[in-house]
Each structure stands twice: as structure tokens, then as C-alpha cells.
Amino acid sequence: MTETQKTADDLKFEEALRALEDVLARLERSDCPLEDALELFGEGMKLVQLCRSKLSAAENKISILLKDSEEFIPFTGGESS
């Protein structure tokens, strides 16, 4: 079973990211037929959503851990200057 054939619940973030990189590499090939490209695009969008979800869950967990240690710093998603 390849990484992209696993269910979303089975994929770890790193596996999903590698699968997304593979999808992008296949899409970048100039010999990818349109039908295949559309299918790959859909697969890639699902992987992007999965990665975002896993990152959000990790950010939430970190925020909870920091709050529990009384050093709460809410994640804003941006860099401070």
C-alpha cells in the first residue's frame, strides 16, 4: 500500500507531505494527460487539507501545553517584528 492509498487517519504529517510532494512532481511533468492531472490535483488538494488539519491540531496542542505551564502565547500564524 502506498502512502496515497492509506486512509487520511492512517497518514502521519510527514507521510502526507511526502505524498503531496510526489503528486506535485507528477503534475509538473509535461507528459501528464489532462485527465490524470485533474485526478492528481484532487488528490493533492485532499493532502493539503490533511496537512493543514494536522498542523492546526499540533498548534492547538502546543497552545494548551503552554497555557497549562502558565506561559500561554497564542499562535497568530504570523511573525512578530
Side-chain angles (χ1 to χ4, degrees):
M1 177 182 291
T2 66
E3 289 171 359
T4 56
Q5 291 173 328
K6 290 182 179 180
T7 64
D9 293 336
D10 293 338
L11 283 177
K12 294 182 180 179
F13 174 79
E14 292 78 7
E15 293 172 328
L17 188 58
R18 276 193 303 273
L20 180 58
E21 289 169 347
D22 181 54
V23 166
L24 290 174
R26 290 186 284 164
L27 279 171
E28 289 175 344
R29 292 180 35 194
S30 61
D31 63 343
C32 184
L34 179 60
E35 292 80 14
D36 293 346
L38 289 172
E39 186 177 329
L40 286 169
F41 181 79
E43 183 180 342
M45 292 304 295
K46 289 177 186 176
L47 289 165
V48 166
Q49 185 177 24
L50 175 64
C51 288
R52 284 184 177 164
S53 173
K54 290 190 178 286
L55 283 174
S56 179
E59 290 167 356
N60 289 337
K61 188 170 186 175
I62 289 169
S63 292
I64 289 168
L65 292 171
L66 289 173
K67 184 177 180 182
D68 288 347
S69 70
E70 298 180 6
E71 296 177 23
F72 180 67
I73 303 170
F75 181 78
T76 61
E79 303 249 347
S80 59
S81 42

